[in-house]
């Protein structure tokens, strides 16, 4: 009789803390043994010359999220999750977004219907709180946090989503009471509106002007304000998609004062610059995202933050709008002024290979830091660890087997998302996840999808231990 369902033999196992040579035995979708001479199994995978990493946890991606103005995200939970799987990611955390005037609970129920039976990798939900009415703050949000939606995003910009300062403080207070983690999109909305109007008044409406309407100062100011709110409420927060020096300096300053400010960055701030918005004709629309990509010097600042521990997580912020699409980057079929271009770029499948090649391959970060940033830390920060984010006995057998020598030129035609472009077209990378397992099932191998829609399961998230307040101030005790 076979002892195990699967044994992965001869691989180099990499976790956030260790790199060891050993075999991995899997039973019923979980890791049941680590060691040598583990015995027999129904299926053997030879990982000689390969790295076996915990599957990636992409804690910031947008899939089938309802969006206003007739726009539509191209990826649903099937195409988004197969793209994730083929890029070595085994858990995704997209957003159940509240529409202003509607209940948060309704958004969660609707989002479950969208996900049901479709995902190939496991998934949890963050919430987006856009209308913090009294019933939302006193009933819906606390109940949802306790039911496993233990993190939510709030916006300081975008008319349909943004909260005022007072509202932010109210929302943070609920998060503190309930033990939730708040992710903050930090850009100053009024500054952006004023700059946008000024640019439009002189006819500067092409995609490249998106970056001029959102300079680093507007991100810096909002980041500092968010840090101030965090201090007043005594609540750790996560500043998402940090783009460059100015916001980084604010976060370093806060950390220097002993505050628990977590920070996330994304591939677009390492591999794109504002000049990618300044392509021929309207092509720059492909790279319109917020905050916008900066310049080469700022890319180095972000690399430094990844290597010295400023950043806790590295996410894709996959926001899948097709380029040649009246419901995507060309709303109504038109090449529109930059302020009407839907924000966001695709990146679920390329997140890990880009960071592996540009970070581990160049020695900027160790392979253990790579695992921490892309898998272990997001799993911890969102209450999924140790079930997810590590290779340990009892953990889900979610793994990506990497060929560190495989060289790939990124081509959109080889990717699995439903978007008609990648901003990284033609980029060369070394190191690629060749086999991906979710709970002991091979879901992707060599770019082929091997699991059925519906293999992925919903994951309720525990309250994040890592994001507990450090101090008890007057604000925190309110
Ligand atoms: O431009 C971006 N990042 N779009 C996606 C939505 C968001 O703010 O994360
Ligand atoms: Zn955002
Ligand atoms: Zn986002």
């Amino acid at each position: 009789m076979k002892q195990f369902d699967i044994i992965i033999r001869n691989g180099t196992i990499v976790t956030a803390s260790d790199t060891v040579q050993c075999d991995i035995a899997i039973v019923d979708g979980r890791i049941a043994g680590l060691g040598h001479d583990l015995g027999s199994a129904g299926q053997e995978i030879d990982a000689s010359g390969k790295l076996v990493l915990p599957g990636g946890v992409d804690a910031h991606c947008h899939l089938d999220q309802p969006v206003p103005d007739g726009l539509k995200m191209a990826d649903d939970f099937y195409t988004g999750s197969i793209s994730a799987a083929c890029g070595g990611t085994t858990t995704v955390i997209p957003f159940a977004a509240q529409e202003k005037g509607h209940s948060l609970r309704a958004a969660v129920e609707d989002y479950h219907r969208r996900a049901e039976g479709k995902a190939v990798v496991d998934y949890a939900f963050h919430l987006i709180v856009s209308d913090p009415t009294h019933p939302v703050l006193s009933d819906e949000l606390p109940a949802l946090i306790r039911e496993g939606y233990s993190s939510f995003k709030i916006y300081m910009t975008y008319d349909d989503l943004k909260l005022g300062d007072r509202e932010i403080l109210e929302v943070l207070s609920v998060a503190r009471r309930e033990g939730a983690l708040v992710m903050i999109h930090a850009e100053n909305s009024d500054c952006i509106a004023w700059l946008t109007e000024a640019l439009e008044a002189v006819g500067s409406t092409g995609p490249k002007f998106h970056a001029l309407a959102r300079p680093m100062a507007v991100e810096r100011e909002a980041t500092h304000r968010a840090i101030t709110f965090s201090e007043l409420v005594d609540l750790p927060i996560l500043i998402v998609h940090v783009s460059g020096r100015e916001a980084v300096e604010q976060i370093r300053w806060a950390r220097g004062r002993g505050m628990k400010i977590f920070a996330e960055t994304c591939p677009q701030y390492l591999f794109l610059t504002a000049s990618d918005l300044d392509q021929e004709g309207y092509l720059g629309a492909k790279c319109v995202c917020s905050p916008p990509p900066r310049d080469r010097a700022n890319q180095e600042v972000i690399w430094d933050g990844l290597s010295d521990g400023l950043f806790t997580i590295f996410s894709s912020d996959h926001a899948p709008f097709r380029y040649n699409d009246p419901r995507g980057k060309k709303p109504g079929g038109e090449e529109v002024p930059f302020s009407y271009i839907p924000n966001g770029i695709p990146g679920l499948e390329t997140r890990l290979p880009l960071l592996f090649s540009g970070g581990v391959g160049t020695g900027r970060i160790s392979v253990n830091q790579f695992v921490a940033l892309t898998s272990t830390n997001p799993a911890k920060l969102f209450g999924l660890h140790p079930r997810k984010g590590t290779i340990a006995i009892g953990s889900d057998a979610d793994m990506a087997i990497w060929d560190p020598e495989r060289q790939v030129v990124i081509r959109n035609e080889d990717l699995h998302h439903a978007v008609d472009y990648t901003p990284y077209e033609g980029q060369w990378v070394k190191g690629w996840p060749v086999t991906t397992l979710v709970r002991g099932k091979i879901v992707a191998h060599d770019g082929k999808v091997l699991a059925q829609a519906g293999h992925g399961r919903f994951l309720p998230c525990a309250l994040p231990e890592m994001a507990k307040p450090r101090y008890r101030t007057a604000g925190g005790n309110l």
Side-chain angles (χ1 to χ4, degrees), residues 11 16 26 47 57 93 126 129-130 139-140 159 206 214 225 250 292 301 359 361 374 382 389 406 412 433 438 452:
I26 299 168
V57 176
I93 319 184
H126 305 294
V129 178
S130 68
D139 301 326
E140 285 199 331
D159 287 344
R214 304 176 105 103
R225 196 155 26 104
Q250 297 305 308
V301 171
T374 59
F382 296 107
R406 183 173 292 193
N412 198 56
V438 173
Q452 301 290 333

Side-chain angles (χ1 to χ4, degrees), residues 60 62 153 155 158 185 241 288-290 317 319 343-344:
H60 184 162
H62 303 269
K153 183 172 175 186
Y155 287 79
Y158 296 137
H185 180 129
H241 41 51
V288 165
C289 61
S290 296
D317 194 7
N343 278 211

